[in-house]
């Protein structure tokens, strides 16, 4: 029997995507969440992990510490879990190039926009201000450039005339909870890989807007 894919989740806050992945792993015998790491000791996601008997660690930033110094400490904790896949689920830190390159092809992130639109923060407000008719979320492999890795899967939602960033965020988050566990499942089944900064599913190149079913 093949061993389960060892999944490590990094969080900073509520952990709703973590919960979606926990729920998804209950139905996916090939995936096992071996740990949750947070930079915030008060993150509610840590409670979610404890409730599901998942090991947790906190790597709290030190005052005056450089990004490289923090990431060296973070990497030492990551190494203890020996992950096959690192899942960034609302981890509110920009990782150093060195750390990203070490795990490139084994690290994914979910971003609340239809990448390449709106990398960075305040994506919902930016979509509304731009007058976009649709918005959404993207799961992508992580590369050193911020929110620029190859897109694996996207989900779209409409933008309404009376939308606020908060209302739009709620609709986008519902879609995040649907697509993130699916991508984790693909990776754990050996169906999803990254080659030459491109995403491949079942031996087929995924297009720039993510996987689109026939």
């Amino acid at each position: 029997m093949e061993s389960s894919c060892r999944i490590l989740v990094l969080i900073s806050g509520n952990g709703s995507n973590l919960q979606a992945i926990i729920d998804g792993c209950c139905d996916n015998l090939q995936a096992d969440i071996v740990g949750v790491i947070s930079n915030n000791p008060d993150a509610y996601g840590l409670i979610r992990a404890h409730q599901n008997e998942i090991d947790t660690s906190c790597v709290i930033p030190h005052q005056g510490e450089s990004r490289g110094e923090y990431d060296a400490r973070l990497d030492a904790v990551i190494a203890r879990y020996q992950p096959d896949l690192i899942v960034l689920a609302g981890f509110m830190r920009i990782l150093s190039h060195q750390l990203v390159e070490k795990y490139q092809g084994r690290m994914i992130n979910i971003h609340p926009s239809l990448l390449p639109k709106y990398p960075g923060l305040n994506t919902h407000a930016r979509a509304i201000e731009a007058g976009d008719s649709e918005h959404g979320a993207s799961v992508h492999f992580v590369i050193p450039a911020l929110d620029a890795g190859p897109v694996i899967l996207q989900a779209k939602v409409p933008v309404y005339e009376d939308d606020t960033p908060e209302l739009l965020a709620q609709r986008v988050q519902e879609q995040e909870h649907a697509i993130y566990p699916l991508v984790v499942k693909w990776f754990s089944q050996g169906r999803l890989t990254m080659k030459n900064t491109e995403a491949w599913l079942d031996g087929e190149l995924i297009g720039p807007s993510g996987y689109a079913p026939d």
Side-chain angles (χ1 to χ4, degrees):
M1 181 177 177
E2 293 185 7
S3 60
S4 293
C5 179
R6 297 175 61 84
I7 297 165
L8 178 63
V9 185
L10 274 57
I11 64 167
S12 293
N14 180 51
S16 64
N17 272 307
L18 166 64
Q19 186 65 58
I21 293 167
I22 290 171
D23 296 342
C25 283
C26 291
D27 301 322
N28 178 13
L29 298 179
Q30 291 163 285
D32 183 27
I33 301 175
V34 296
V36 172
I37 298 176
S38 178
N39 63 319
N40 172 17
D42 298 321
Y44 184 71
L46 294 172
I47 295 175
R48 296 181 189 271
H50 292 155
Q51 290 171 339
N52 287 273
E53 299 181 341
I54 298 170
D55 190 75
T56 63
S57 298
C58 282
V59 184
I60 302 170
H62 296 164
Q63 187 170 1
E65 184 177 38
S66 70
R67 183 181 299 170
E69 289 168 338
Y70 176 86
D71 281 4
R73 292 195 297 114
L74 175 62
D75 189 29
V77 177
I78 290 173
R80 294 208 301 262
Y81 290 102
Q82 298 181 312
D84 298 308
L85 177 66
I86 299 173
V87 177
L88 304 182
F91 189 64
M92 301 303 291
R93 286 188 62 92
I94 296 174
L95 300 174
S96 63
H97 288 193
Q98 292 86 347
L99 185 62
V100 170
E101 287 169 354
K102 179 174 179 178
Y103 294 102
Q104 193 160 288
R106 295 189 291 139
M107 182 182 288
I108 59 175
N109 181 49
I110 193 159
H111 183 73
S113 80
L114 297 175
L115 292 172
K117 278 191 169 183
Y118 313 127
L121 302 175
N122 304 316
T123 61
H124 310 304
R126 290 157 70 188
I128 291 171
E129 289 167 5
D132 291 352
S133 61
E134 62 182 14
H135 187 47
S138 307
V139 182
H140 65 96
F141 280 109
V142 178
I143 66 172
L146 180 65
D147 298 329
V151 173
I152 301 163
L153 184 62
Q154 290 186 326
K156 297 178 181 179
V157 301
V159 181
Y160 300 122
E161 288 186 8
D162 59 349
D163 256 332
T164 64
E166 292 75 21
L167 289 172
L168 187 53
Q170 289 177 7
R171 287 203 304 284
V172 169
Q173 194 168 69
E174 288 176 3
Q175 295 302 313
E176 291 180 8
H177 298 164
I179 65 175
Y180 216 3
L182 180 58
V183 171
V184 170
K185 185 175 183 178
W186 288 345
F187 188 95
S188 68
Q189 293 173 333
R191 299 172 57 193
L192 175 67
T193 58
M194 178 177 159
K195 306 175 191 174
N196 301 321
T197 68
E198 296 173 327
W200 293 72
L201 181 66
D202 295 333
E204 299 288 335
L205 178 64
I206 297 175
S209 296
Y211 171 75
D214 295 332

